């Protein structure tokens, strides 16, 4: 069965799912998106994803042409049409077709696109053995230029960092901000474990407020683990006892080496493994 893609109220076969070449989402990266997961036919943290999508749209003065409830219903229908229970959902909202100029006032009819499919970001052995990161020279977008808290269609900053990581033989790359502080990786938030405490960069460092990040913080607090959102440097990463990443597609994945330096004993640590297991249970037993 051909995969069906939702575009502004209608379903199209994957090969026929098209938008205008004059769409500002294509021409200028003018739009926003969300990556969402479904487990056992239930969308994980739908409301939080809808809130973040609307916040991103509001920040760039883009009006989404449907309500949050209508969007949620369209997501669920797209999953149903494609027969997907455990899958990945990409929701994209573009400014719509306009002119070759920058003026967004010439755009009309914002496009809403919903794609559902299966995804496996990292092979299973990396969840068992951990992955390696390298710190790249490409810094995170300056918050005064384009806030990293906006999940926009312009991901060139992250892509350039990803290329640097690949060239160094790493599947993920650690990005710093303009002050040299740790922010996040190209697609995932980062956590450190030091002396039993969980440390992660604050929003002010220039990070995306991850839905999985928030879930892991909640799980840690419920387990009695102290969590601090504080500015971190590469030094903090190098001396950490454990390190792991969180993201919608990645879920929770351990990191065992950064810039050729082993983290802890070079294997996924006990707190990382415990939070991985707890998140796995949370995601697959959730009800909404």
């Amino acid at each position: 069965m051909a995969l069906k893609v939702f575009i502004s109220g209608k379903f199209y076969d994957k090969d026929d799912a098209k938008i205008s070449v004059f769409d500002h989402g294509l021409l200028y990266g003018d739009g926003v998106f969300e990556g969402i997961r479904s487990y056992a036919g239930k969308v994980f943290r739908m409301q939080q994803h809808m809130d973040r999508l609307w916040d991103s749209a509001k920040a760039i003065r883009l009006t989404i042409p449907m309500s949050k409830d209508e969007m949620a219903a369209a997501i669920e229908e797209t999953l149903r049409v494609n027969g997907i229970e455990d899958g990945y959902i990409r929701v994209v909202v573009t400014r719509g077709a306009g002119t070759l100029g920058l003026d967004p006032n010439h755009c009309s009819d914002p496009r809403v696109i919903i794609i559902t499919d299966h995804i496996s970001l990292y092979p299973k052995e990396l969840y068992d053995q951990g992955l390696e990161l390298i710190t790249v020279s490409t810094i995170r977008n300056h918050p005064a230029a384009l806030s990293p808290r906006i999940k926009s269609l312009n991901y060139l900053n992250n892509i350039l960092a990803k290329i640097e990581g690949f060239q160094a033989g790493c599947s993920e790359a650690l990005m710093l901000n303009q002050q040299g502080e740790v922010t996040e990786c190209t697609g995932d938030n980062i956590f450190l474990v030091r002396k039993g405490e969980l440390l992660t960069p604050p929003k002010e460092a220039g990070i995306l407020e991850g839905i999985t990040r928030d879930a892991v913080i909640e799980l840690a607090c419920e387990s009695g683990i102290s969590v601090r959102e504080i500015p971190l440097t590469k030094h903090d990463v190098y001396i950490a006892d454990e390190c792991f990443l969180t993201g919608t597609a990645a879920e929770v994945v351990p990191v065992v080496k950064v810039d050729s330096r082993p983290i802890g004993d070079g294997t996924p640590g006990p707190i990382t493994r415990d939070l991985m297991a707890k998140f796995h249970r949370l995601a697959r037993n959730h009800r909404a």
Side-chain angles (χ1 to χ4, degrees):
M1 183 182 71
L3 191 71
K4 301 288 185 181
V5 177
F6 176 99
I7 302 179
S8 297
K10 297 181 181 179
F11 285 101
Y12 300 86
D13 286 344
K14 178 181 178 180
D15 291 341
D16 296 323
K18 300 176 177 66
I19 61 170
S20 170
V21 295
F22 286 90
D23 194 296
H24 271 216
L26 170 65
L27 292 176
Y28 301 112
D30 188 2
V32 294
F33 79 97
E34 277 293 310
I36 312 172
R37 287 290 287 262
S38 67
Y39 299 97
K42 296 286 187 180
V43 178
F44 183 67
R45 301 211 164 182
M46 175 81 87
Q47 189 60 53
Q48 289 96 319
H49 280 289
M50 293 299 95
D51 289 345
R52 190 171 68 177
L53 180 66
W54 256 255
D55 285 347
S56 291
K58 185 176 182 180
I60 68 167
R61 295 193 166 194
L62 171 60
T63 300
I64 299 176
M66 59 200 308
S67 69
K68 292 181 183 179
D69 287 343
E70 289 170 336
M71 181 73 81
I75 290 170
E76 291 172 345
E77 179 64 8
T78 307
L79 286 168
R80 188 194 66 78
V81 165
N82 287 302
I84 294 175
E85 292 201 341
D86 294 314
Y88 180 79
I89 304 142
R90 173 61 57 89
V91 180
V92 179
V93 185
T94 75
R95 186 81 64 181
T99 65
L100 291 178
L102 289 173
D103 190 349
N105 293 314
H106 291 156
C107 297
S108 61
D109 301 326
R111 300 282 90 184
V112 175
I113 303 164
I114 303 173
I115 305 167
T116 56
D117 207 344
H118 299 285
I119 191 170
S120 178
L121 194 62
Y122 301 115
K124 182 180 183 300
E125 57 264 25
L126 289 185
Y127 289 90
D128 295 334
Q129 301 169 15
L131 55 81
E132 179 177 354
L133 306 180
I134 187 170
T135 306
V136 293
S137 62
T138 302
I139 67 167
R140 198 66 179 92
N141 285 329
H142 194 299
L146 176 63
S147 174
R149 294 168 72 180
I150 300 171
K151 205 167 174 67
S152 82
L153 297 184
N154 192 326
Y155 250 50
L156 190 56
N157 179 232
N158 307 66
I159 290 169
L160 291 175
K162 193 81 166 178
I163 290 170
E164 276 193 74
F166 283 146
Q167 289 175 333
C170 296
S171 55
E172 250 299 7
L174 181 61
M175 303 177 74
L176 309 179
N177 62 18
Q178 70 281 359
Q179 296 170 307
E181 298 169 343
V182 170
T183 60
E184 57 191 8
C185 291
T186 65
D188 302 316
N189 293 114
I190 187 169
F191 285 85
L192 307 178
V193 177
R194 177 70 173 165
K195 297 181 178 178
E197 269 194 321
L198 203 56
L199 309 175
T200 193
K203 294 186 285 289
E204 296 75 27
I207 68 167
L208 180 72
E209 298 168 78
I211 306 297
T212 306
R213 173 184 181 271
D214 289 346
V216 167
I217 289 174
E218 292 169 16
L219 290 170
C221 291
E222 290 170 4
S223 299
I225 300 171
S226 171
V227 181
R228 288 198 291 157
E229 298 179 57
I230 59 171
L232 299 170
T233 66
K234 287 195 295 182
H235 175 73
D236 295 306
V237 179
Y238 296 158
I239 66 171
D241 300 319
E242 302 177 38
C243 177
F244 62 87
L245 309 181
T246 63
T248 294
E251 299 184 310
V252 181
V253 58
V255 174
V256 295
K257 188 180 288 187
V258 179
D259 296 337
S260 300
R261 293 166 167 84
I263 301 298
D265 66 1
T267 64
I271 291 178
T272 298
R273 289 192 178 280
D274 181 58
L275 289 173
M276 287 174 67
K278 283 183 166 64
F279 181 79
H280 190 274
R281 288 194 295 272
L282 172 70
R284 284 152 182 81
N285 295 328
H286 77 287
R287 293 292 176 265

